[in-house]
Amino acid sequence: MADVTKYAPINGRTLISDFKSHFSFQKTKRTVAYGFVFVFIGFTIFLAFAPSSSSSSPWFTNIFTSTATSKSSILSDDSHRSHFSSIFSYFFPDSSTQVHNPEDRSKNTNLQPPNLNVEPKVVKNQTQNQEINDKVEVLKKNNGTVLPKEPTAGQIVNSTSPSKSSSELNRGSSISKNQTQSKQLNGKTEELKTNQSSTGVAKSPVAANQTANSSKNSGSGVKNVTGNGDNRITENGVAKNLTSSSMKKKSNATDSSVSSKQGSDDLIKSLMNCDLFDGHWVGDDSYPLYKPGSCSLIDEQFNCFQNGRPDNGYHQLRWKPKGCTVPRLNASHMLELLRGKRLVFVGDSLNRNMWESLVCILKNSVKDQSKVYEEFGRHHFRNEASYSFIFEDYKCTVEFFVSPFLVQEWEVTDKNRTRKETLRLDIIGRSADKYKNADFIVFNTGHWWTHDKTSKGKDYYQEGSHVYSELNVLEAFRKALTTWGRWVDANVNPMKTLVFFRGYSKVHFSGGQWNSGGQCDHETEPIKNETYLTQYPPKMTVLERVLKGMKTPVKYLNITRMTDYRKDGHPSIYRKQKLSSAEKKLLLRVQDCSHWCLPGVPDAWNEILYAELLVNHNQRRKQEGT
């Protein structure tokens, strides 16, 4: 009877005449027969034209709009359930409809892949199709069995039947051409989407038929796609939530980024509110920052390890301020901060000590060592007026300019036509124009002001054409620094250049000065009792007054106290690898207790410089709003 009614004409006026030809009952029985027929026809018309609330149960409605649905799919057990559920819900709209999933009845791993293309518009929509393909590639297996490739647009397969004939598949491809049905199905799909917020709703009819109500929930090997909007996929009996997983990954990445930014902000804040130079030295086996003997750029007089110093405690200490922690110098990150920039050291041999330390630290982090080189190919750094190391991959330079007083050394002719050396307190050093546009400049001076000529101050200091017959060294030092400060204010652009001044580095001569038998070779540990520290140098008090009077902000690297502890860090007698007999005798009288072994104390100065660069970088980013 279902086959007869399936192909019944829509026009009810011809049905009556057709039934008369099929039935030849006597007139006395026609009334009952016609009554039955009319009831049946009415019921059939009701089912054919009444709207179905389920997009997966169109039944007679779809008969008149498409011929693509096969008999088996219409008359299947699931189809009948769906039809009568729709009828029941039509008369009793408040009742919930139980939708059955065909997978609950049986699971056959040899079945064809689920029908991904029930909605004709999905076939047409290339964007949705691409998203389906992306998901298909993720889930390649179903219960351990590799599934066939997903059907193409013309190979629409319904999961309720094991196989389809070619004619049925061809009819399936014609579905994509029926735009009217596409609009109907899309409208019903939109209705389903409105119910996604209900967690207690049973699986949608689209899920029951293994079809995708949206291209997001489609793919070969997908065993169960729910319709409540959570995008969960069950594979091999394990529920997986694609959206949740993606969101968790994004959330974790965001949390990590936020946490990293928060940690960076906390570090910067702690460094800004901390006296980096009030602290003590602590043992740390993870130091030094580069292996002793690994850097060929270190001057022989600083290379204590190569020169045979037997102990190693002097390079396994780090500086720990009381109120914060100086971050370990990350050489790769520091090179990024210096990318495309110039970092210049200007001063005496103690600044050369610091410069060589930094070059070794940075060079050690570069994979291709051939791309780090001195501009003119030099390998010794004591005889020229300036040196420049190029870090090719970062397009940056780390340079050193020799200027032990920061002001110019000069010569005058006295009354006897004899030329003598003077120090022009009113003229900046000769190389100043070469570094005034650098991005970072680290100045220092101090040790040369302790030598005989400068400390005595007789016929040595000059301003203009006037040579002082005698001038106190502190006054001369103040005049020289004032000249330097005025030059900085007039020539250095504080919007481009960050200026540092590294303070006086303490010496530890015992039993005399550097040229009168002073020694420190027996020192292997730093000072631990603060009462043994010396008085703050008066010259640094003069420096602080000059810095306060400048317009240009200058970062004062006040390393005097932190170096005062380190009586163990000097080269002392370990200044050369091979000594002649005459040199060995000389070492008994002249030791180096002012410079520092490398690796060693200057590495800690550079860690503080790195911390200051971090703070500066953070402040500039805030000013630029990035």
Side-chain angles (χ1 to χ4, degrees):
M1 183 61 70
D3 288 339
V4 173
T5 57
K6 176 178 179 181
Y7 300 102
I10 299 176
N11 192 338
R13 291 176 299 177
T14 61
L15 291 174
I16 299 174
S17 58
D18 290 340
F19 274 106
K20 286 181 179 181
S21 64
H22 288 293
F23 300 96
S24 57
F25 297 103
Q26 295 181 1
K27 193 172 185 179
T28 56
K29 299 181 180 178
R30 288 179 180 175
T31 301
V32 176
Y34 284 146
F36 174 79
V37 169
F38 281 122
V39 169
F40 179 81
I41 292 174
F43 182 72
T44 301
I45 292 174
F46 169 78
L47 293 179
F49 293 99
S52 173
S53 61
S54 174
S55 61
S56 65
S57 306
W59 210 45
F60 276 95
T61 301
N62 284 355
I63 291 175
F64 300 109
T65 57
S66 174
T67 60
T69 307
S70 65
K71 295 180 183 180
S72 60
S73 64
I74 293 175
L75 298 178
S76 67
D77 183 53
D78 288 329
S79 178
H80 282 298
R81 287 193 184 97
S82 188
H83 306 330
F84 290 107
S85 296
S86 299
I87 297 170
F88 186 79
S89 62
Y90 184 85
F91 290 102
F92 302 95
D94 294 333
S95 301
S96 61
T97 304
Q98 180 69 29
V99 181
H100 297 271
N101 191 330
E103 286 190 1
D104 294 337
R105 292 162 30 222
S106 64
K107 293 183 180 178
N108 188 347
T109 57
N110 296 321
L111 292 179
Q112 295 294 329
N115 184 357
L116 303 177
N117 300 291
V118 170
E119 291 183 28
K121 199 158 187 176
V122 173
V123 179
K124 287 287 187 179
N125 192 321
Q126 296 301 322
T127 302
Q128 293 176 330
N129 222 19
Q130 182 61 41
E131 293 180 7
I132 291 173
N133 293 336
D134 292 340
K135 293 284 180 18
V136 167
E137 291 299 323
V138 178
L139 300 172
K140 289 288 187 179
K141 296 183 179 181
N142 186 11
N143 289 337
T145 304
V146 178
L147 292 175
K149 295 181 179 179
E150 62 172 337
T152 62
Q155 296 174 329
I156 304 174
V157 182
N158 193 303
S159 62
T160 57
S161 60
S163 61
K164 292 290 181 182
S165 65
S166 60
S167 62
E168 288 173 329
L169 292 175
N170 290 334
R171 286 201 304 272
S173 65
S174 67
I175 295 177
S176 62
K177 298 179 181 181
N178 193 326
Q179 301 300 321
T180 303
Q181 185 185 16
S182 295
K183 293 179 180 179
Q184 292 174 347
L185 292 176
N186 288 338
K188 292 178 180 179
T189 301
E190 291 299 319
E191 293 177 4
L192 289 174
K193 290 180 179 179
T194 61
N195 294 326
Q196 289 182 352
S197 60
S198 302
T199 56
V201 179
K203 297 173 184 177
S204 69
V206 174
N209 286 321
Q210 293 289 324
T211 61
N213 63 352
S214 72
S215 60
K216 293 180 181 179
N217 298 329
S218 304
S220 177
V222 179
K223 292 175 64 180
N224 182 27
V225 183
T226 66
N228 59 2
D230 61 0
N231 290 333
R232 286 183 299 176
I233 291 181
T234 305
E235 182 183 15
N236 297 332
V238 179
K240 294 185 178 179
N241 189 327
L242 292 184
T243 302
S244 176
S245 176
S246 176
M247 291 177 65
K248 284 180 180 178
K249 288 179 180 179
K250 291 179 180 178
S251 176
N252 289 339
T254 302
D255 291 344
S256 176
S257 176
V258 170
S259 177
S260 176
K261 186 177 184 303
Q262 183 64 41
S264 176
D265 290 343
D266 291 343
L267 172 63
I268 299 300
K269 186 177 179 180
S270 70
L271 292 175
M272 292 177 66
N273 298 324
C274 179
D275 182 354
L276 299 178
F277 308 100
D278 181 16
H280 57 279
W281 293 90
V282 296
D284 193 327
D285 292 339
S286 68
Y287 279 73
L289 297 173
Y290 50 100
K291 186 178 179 180
S294 65
C295 187
S296 61
L297 306 176
I298 300 174
D299 268 348
E300 186 179 31
Q301 70 177 103
F302 304 149
N303 204 335
C304 304
F305 175 83
Q306 292 282 38
N307 295 337
R309 180 166 176 170
D311 59 308
N312 59 10
Y314 65 94
H315 55 62
Q316 290 187 317
L317 295 169
R318 64 178 175 84
W319 178 249
K320 174 67 175 68
K322 293 178 180 178
C324 62
T325 297
V326 175
R328 184 182 178 92
L329 197 159
N330 184 327
S332 297
H333 184 244
M334 187 168 182
L335 282 170
E336 287 295 342
L337 296 178
L338 298 177
R339 182 179 289 277
K341 303 183 186 302
R342 293 177 66 197
L343 169 58
V344 174
F345 292 85
V346 182
D348 58 25
S349 55
L350 273 298
N351 244 16
R352 185 172 84 243
N353 220 175
M354 185 178 181
W355 169 70
E356 289 185 12
S357 162
L358 184 61
V359 170
C360 287
I361 293 170
L362 298 180
K363 185 176 185 291
N364 190 55
S365 71
V366 177
K367 293 182 179 179
D368 189 349
Q369 299 283 302
S370 66
K371 292 186 177 181
V372 181
Y373 49 86
E374 204 280 324
E375 183 179 7
F376 299 102
R378 299 169 179 146
H379 298 281
H380 303 284
F381 313 109
R382 299 188 63 181
N383 301 319
E384 302 297 331
S386 66
Y387 304 90
S388 176
F389 264 91
I390 297 172
F391 290 79
E392 192 175 296
D393 288 341
Y394 296 89
K395 296 180 173 58
C396 70
T397 58
V398 182
E399 307 169 40
F400 172 60
F401 288 83
V402 178
S403 184
F405 297 105
L406 298 182
V407 291
Q408 279 194 32
E409 295 178 79
W410 203 261
E411 281 187 351
V412 295
T413 304
D414 62 14
K415 296 177 181 179
N416 299 324
R417 310 295 295 177
T418 303
R419 299 186 66 82
K420 65 177 182 180
E421 294 179 349
T422 61
L423 186 65
R424 289 293 299 267
L425 301 177
D426 56 342
I427 302 177
I428 195 69
R430 290 184 176 87
S431 58
D433 285 343
K434 297 180 181 179
Y435 57 73
K436 66 181 181 180
N437 294 320
D439 299 276
F440 308 100
I441 311 176
V442 182
F443 293 96
N444 99 293
T445 187
H447 281 265
W448 281 51
W449 296 86
T450 64
H451 296 174
D452 286 344
K453 286 183 181 180
T454 52
S455 61
K456 292 177 180 178
K458 293 183 177 181
D459 296 323
Y460 182 63
Y461 297 117
Q462 178 180 352
E463 283 186 297
S465 60
H466 176 66
V467 178
Y468 290 91
S469 59
E470 187 173 355
L471 182 66
N472 180 274
V473 64
L474 284 180
E475 180 60 17
F477 185 75
R478 184 195 65 79
K479 287 179 177 290
L481 285 183
T482 300
T483 298
W484 166 82
R486 288 172 180 170
W487 176 86
V488 170
D489 284 341
N491 293 273
V492 174
N493 179 6
M495 299 301 294
K496 179 185 188 301
T497 304
L498 182 61
V499 180
F500 297 90
F501 198 106
R502 183 184 58 76
Y504 185 78
S505 171
K506 294 292 289 188
V507 299
H508 294 92
F509 291 102
S510 177
Q513 291 301 310
W514 66 276
N515 58 351
S516 59
Q519 298 178 343
C520 57
D521 59 302
H522 59 283
E523 302 290 354
T524 57
E525 291 185 353
I527 293 173
K528 297 179 180 179
N529 190 336
E530 294 183 5
T531 60
Y532 291 104
L533 299 179
T534 58
Q535 184 182 1
Y536 189 61
K539 286 192 289 293
M540 293 300 97
T541 302
V542 172
L543 169 65
E544 291 179 13
R545 287 201 299 265
V546 171
L547 295 180
K548 288 180 181 179
M550 293 175 61
K551 294 185 298 183
T552 304
V554 177
K555 296 282 186 180
Y556 179 30
L557 303 179
N558 188 2
I559 52 87
T560 302
R561 183 179 176 86
M562 67 182 290
T563 57
D564 202 355
Y565 286 96
R566 294 301 307 274
K567 59 184 175 64
D568 63 314
H570 302 289
S572 61
I573 62 174
Y574 304 102
R575 297 170 60 190
K576 290 192 70 174
Q577 190 170 2
K578 295 180 180 180
L579 297 171
S580 64
S581 57
E583 288 173 332
K584 289 179 180 179
K585 291 180 180 179
L586 180 63
L587 286 178
L588 297 177
R589 188 173 61 87
V590 179
Q591 292 190 16
D592 185 353
C593 302
S594 56
H595 296 100
W596 304 92
C597 296
L598 293 178
V601 172
D603 301 335
W605 303 348
N606 283 312
E607 286 200 302
I608 292 176
L609 176 64
Y610 172 61
E612 293 285 5
L613 293 181
L614 290 177
V615 172
N616 175 71
H617 178 68
N618 183 71
Q619 290 175 334
R620 292 205 171 188
R621 286 183 60 186
K622 287 184 177 180
Q623 291 173 358
E624 296 169 358
T626 58

